Amino acid sequence: MKHFLDVTDYSQQELMKIIETAMDMKKSGWKETLKGKILSMFFFNPSLRTRLSFIAAMDKLGGLAVDLSSGSGGFPFEFEENVVMDKSTIEHVKEAIPVVSRISDAVAVRASELVTTAPKSVEVSSWNEAKKDTVITSFTKYAKVPVINMESNVFHPCQGLGDAMTIMEKFSNPKSKKYVLTWAYHPKALPMATANSQFMSACDLGMDVTVAYPEAWDLDAGVIEKAKARAKLAGGSLKLVHSQQNAFKDADIICAKSWGAIKHYGDWDKETKAKEGLRHWIVDKEKMGLTNNAFFMHCLPVRRNVEVTDEVLDSPSSIVIDQAENRMWIQMAILDYLIGENNG
Ligand code: CP
């Protein structure tokens, strides 16, 4: 049994096999390899694309996706060990997940503290606490079936791999193409998970990867270290810069994503103040003009004219809808790989 928590748990060859399966399914059709199989999904945060694409993926492969999220009638879970459950939590994951495992063939979890519909960023203690990914870690501890990460605090591997498929569709050999992940201004502090998985996947493709962000918005050092090693293994490179203009020069892909500053986790008022003056970190036509006719990518949802201008988002270079559609195809391939008739 193998979980799908992060792409770095897989070899680059295994990931390429999953991407090729997804592309083949999209181009030539697919078999119902998940007949009678059930995916139980738990969303602790809002979602449009991930929820819909997993439901569609299971349906297309002949299986069933069940949404057991708390807001959809499920019980609020307890995750702490040795706790007196006399407050709002009703069921401990210690019973819930073994029960779910008896009836399901896989479990999918979204637990990313900063994904919220609230007008302000939610309170979090510190990055060191958030990066423990307590919720998904508890699921894996008690699950007897594969657990799929639908976005945790640290990684969003389905987004990363879906993006890799989209890049492969545009450049059949993306090696040595210049991929730029640029931080973008956003009024709220957003999770790092998507950014981490996006540039990790570009590294796995052997691209020349540049991550551009304002000073103080450093990504997790451990993730950077892993990405550098994987870039080298794939014959690519990883560079971190603080100038958006320099980064955009001769780029083949521009991917925009905002994330919260690690040093301000637990104090977003300070981050909001520190962000004043960074509104110019937006993707616009002028900056796209510095690139090698780059494609524009964004995981969605996107704040128009905050992260990227209408002009860029509505232009032919924007491939954000392909990206979102490919979430379904890549998840079909991931599910087939994990629990399909001929899995592994
Ligand atoms: N990109 C992404 O994961 O979208 P949702 O948050 O809508 O699932």
Side-chain angles (χ1 to χ4, degrees):
M1 182 183 84
K2 199 157 183 187
H3 300 304
F4 191 76
L5 303 176
D6 175 31
V7 291
T8 59
D9 298 330
Y10 289 79
S11 71
Q12 288 167 341
Q13 290 72 23
E14 284 173 304
L15 296 174
M16 194 47 73
K17 192 174 156 191
I18 294 172
I19 294 170
E20 281 166 1
T21 303
M23 291 174 82
D24 197 45
M25 283 174 168
K26 185 175 179 181
K27 193 171 160 216
S28 313
W30 61 94
K31 294 198 179 97
E32 291 193 339
T33 57
L34 296 188
K35 264 191 195 154
K37 301 262 168 114
I38 293 175
L39 173 71
S40 288
M41 302 191 298
F42 294 86
F43 287 92
F44 293 92
N45 316 91
S47 166
L48 185 155
R49 280 142 290 272
T50 306
R51 195 188 305 267
L52 174 61
S53 55
F54 265 108
I55 292 170
M58 283 302 290
D59 187 68
K60 277 189 156 42
L61 293 173
L64 176 70
V66 186
D67 190 345
L68 295 165
S69 307
S70 175
S72 316
F75 295 116
F77 286 157
E78 180 60 58
F79 296 97
E80 273 190 41
E81 301 286 339
N82 306 316
V83 67
V84 178
M85 288 171 57
D86 61 354
K87 295 196 173 66
S88 57
T89 55
I90 291 178
E91 176 151 34
H92 204 288
V93 282
K94 215 166 176 174
E95 291 82 51
I97 304 312
V99 169
V100 170
S101 297
R102 288 276 178 99
I103 301 170
S104 319
D105 300 278
V107 179
V109 186
R110 168 170 285 192
S112 184
E113 290 176 27
L114 294 178
V115 180
T116 168
T117 52
K120 289 189 79 180
S121 308
V122 292
E123 289 307 318
V124 285
S125 52
S126 68
W127 173 241
N128 277 340
E129 267 310 304
K131 74 194 275 192
K132 287 181 190 162
D133 268 342
T134 308
V135 174
I136 198 156
T137 305
S138 305
F139 270 70
T140 53
K141 187 171 173 188
Y142 298 114
K144 307 279 183 237
V145 294
V147 175
I148 300 171
N149 181 356
M150 298 195 292
E151 189 174 357
S152 70
N153 289 326
V154 189
F155 291 116
H156 191 355
C158 299
Q159 182 71 54
L161 214 51
D163 281 14
M165 173 184 171
T166 307
I167 294 168
M168 292 283 297
E169 283 181 338
K170 303 299 171 193
F171 303 107
S172 50
N173 183 8
K175 274 191 200 295
S176 306
K177 295 282 179 194
K178 184 173 177 183
Y179 172 98
V180 176
L181 173 70
T182 177
W183 183 87
Y185 174 84
H186 193 288
K188 293 201 300 191
L190 298 186
M192 267 171 282
T194 300
N196 285 341
S197 292
Q198 286 178 314
F199 81 89
M200 187 72 76
S201 283
C203 288
D204 277 332
L205 291 178
M207 301 180 81
D208 285 334
V209 178
T210 298
V211 182
Y213 57 92
E215 280 177 40
W217 267 262
D218 291 319
L219 289 161
D220 183 79
V223 175
I224 296 286
E225 202 179 310
K226 267 188 195 174
K228 276 193 174 152
R230 289 179 78 90
K232 195 171 168 200
L233 195 65
S237 61
L238 172 62
K239 208 161 63 175
L240 311 177
V241 302
H242 299 306
S243 160
Q244 221 181 10
Q245 272 79 3
N246 286 349
F248 274 46
K249 273 181 204 146
D250 303 321
D252 298 293
I253 300 270
I254 297 293
C255 180
K257 182 76 192 87
S258 194
W259 62 84
I262 289 176
K263 66 187 274 193
H264 295 305
Y265 262 66
D267 192 348
W268 297 130
D269 287 342
K270 257 197 183 157
E271 205 219 29
T272 306
K273 276 199 195 100
K275 255 189 322 205
E276 280 168 18
L278 294 177
R279 278 186 179 265
H280 60 282
W281 279 77
I282 183 172
V283 179
D284 60 18
K285 195 179 165 191
E286 201 186 337
K287 288 175 201 159
M288 288 300 282
L290 300 169
T291 70
N292 182 27
N293 283 322
F295 291 109
F296 175 77
M297 300 181 78
H298 191 288
C299 62
L300 306 181
V302 64
R303 296 226 181 189
R304 281 176 174 264
N305 303 310
V306 176
E307 296 171 81
V308 54
T309 60
D310 282 342
E311 211 172 9
V312 173
L313 197 53
D314 297 333
S315 74
S317 63
S318 171
I319 52 173
V320 299
I321 306 300
D322 295 338
Q323 252 181 292
E325 180 197 331
N326 285 342
R327 291 289 307 281
M328 179 186 75
W329 298 109
I330 205 72
Q331 287 155 202
M332 284 169 73
I334 293 167
L335 287 161
D336 184 53
Y337 189 82
L338 293 174
I339 58 168
E341 277 166 13
N342 309 305
N343 65 313

